[in-house]
Amino acid sequence: MNSPTKPPKLPTQALAAKIFHSINIMSLFLMITSGLQIYNANPVFGGRAGLHIPPIFTLGAWLAGGRHWHFASMWLFSLNLLFYGIYIFITRRWRHRFVGSNDIQALQKTQNPKRLTYAWHRIIYTSIIPVLLLAILTGIGMYKPAQFPWIVDMFGDWQALRIVHFASVPLVIIFVIIHWRLGQKAGGDKLIESMFW
């Protein structure tokens, strides 16, 4: 007589992780679409006659509207990151989130595909931190150049600051895609779903 097989255990995530991921996706969408609206007012590449983004991909309808949406969602995004950073520090989850020497060794030696996935995930997770800090720093420099002229000076001039800030956007999008794919590889669609609900 065959014993009944147990259904596979469904992945679960802490409530804080669900809130963090949900707010991140929403605020990133708002920042990117409103940022493209701001970009249209004075494109980084080619000046006023440069490449314009179709209105369907923008938020805010005009420059001031785009700025209002962008700065509001920037605060949401930044505070969300701050609170999640405090959360993973207090709960000591940072020990399992960021790259260590054993992950580098795993890339060189292990044949275990799951171990490789986890190693790559921690490497990607760690590499996004300087990108996000750069995006926030350059954003503050563009938001308050009179109060923080040293940020503009760090990048040489205003145009260079805008280019660096704009370049951070595709890096964040690439991170989101890789983060999603690695999560799917580690635990399938159920793991991805558990990150949000």
Side-chain angles (χ1 to χ4, degrees):
M1 182 173 170
N2 293 335
S3 59
T5 58
K6 284 185 177 180
K9 186 181 175 186
L10 295 175
T12 57
Q13 303 296 327
L15 179 61
K18 293 175 189 287
I19 293 170
F20 169 74
H21 281 99
S22 299
I23 292 175
N24 254 4
I25 289 293
M26 180 178 64
S27 57
L28 272 173
F29 175 79
L30 294 174
M31 275 196 302
I32 290 169
T33 53
S34 60
L36 292 174
Q37 179 64 53
I38 297 167
Y39 170 90
N40 272 351
N42 186 13
V44 172
F45 307 107
R48 299 214 180 264
L51 172 71
H52 275 71
I53 309 299
I56 193 169
F57 299 114
T58 65
L59 175 67
W62 56 308
L63 174 59
R67 285 171 57 90
H68 292 324
W69 275 106
H70 199 68
F71 297 138
S73 51
M74 177 267 309
W75 281 112
L76 181 63
F77 181 76
S78 300
L79 290 173
N80 189 44
L81 282 179
L82 175 65
F83 290 138
Y84 191 68
I86 293 169
Y87 167 75
I88 64 171
F89 181 76
I90 290 171
T91 59
R92 301 175 69 104
R93 287 171 178 257
W94 58 270
R95 293 177 300 172
H96 309 293
R97 295 290 187 273
F98 302 113
V99 68
S101 58
N102 55 343
D103 294 312
I104 305 300
Q105 290 171 359
L107 293 181
Q108 297 168 341
K109 297 178 181 178
T110 190
Q111 299 297 316
N112 183 335
K114 201 150 203 170
R115 178 67 186 95
L116 282 171
T117 298
Y118 288 135
W120 276 115
H121 212 133
R122 283 191 277 270
I123 289 167
I124 296 300
Y125 211 84
T126 304
S127 66
I128 196 61
I129 294 172
V131 174
L132 292 175
L133 292 175
L134 187 65
I136 291 169
L137 180 70
T138 53
I140 291 169
M142 293 169 64
Y143 180 42
K144 297 286 185 182
Q147 289 83 353
F148 301 102
W150 58 270
I151 296 178
V152 180
D153 294 340
M154 277 176 63
F155 295 90
D157 60 18
W158 176 259
Q159 183 68 357
L161 182 74
R162 292 182 71 227
I163 290 170
V164 172
H165 187 71
F166 190 78
S168 69
V169 175
L171 293 176
V172 171
I173 293 171
I174 289 168
F175 164 78
V176 169
I177 293 168
I178 294 173
H179 185 44
W180 167 67
R181 286 294 295 131
L182 287 171
Q184 196 176 44
K185 200 171 177 183
D189 290 334
K190 293 293 181 188
L191 177 63
I192 302 300
E193 289 171 14
S194 74
M195 296 288 185
F196 299 97
W197 48 81

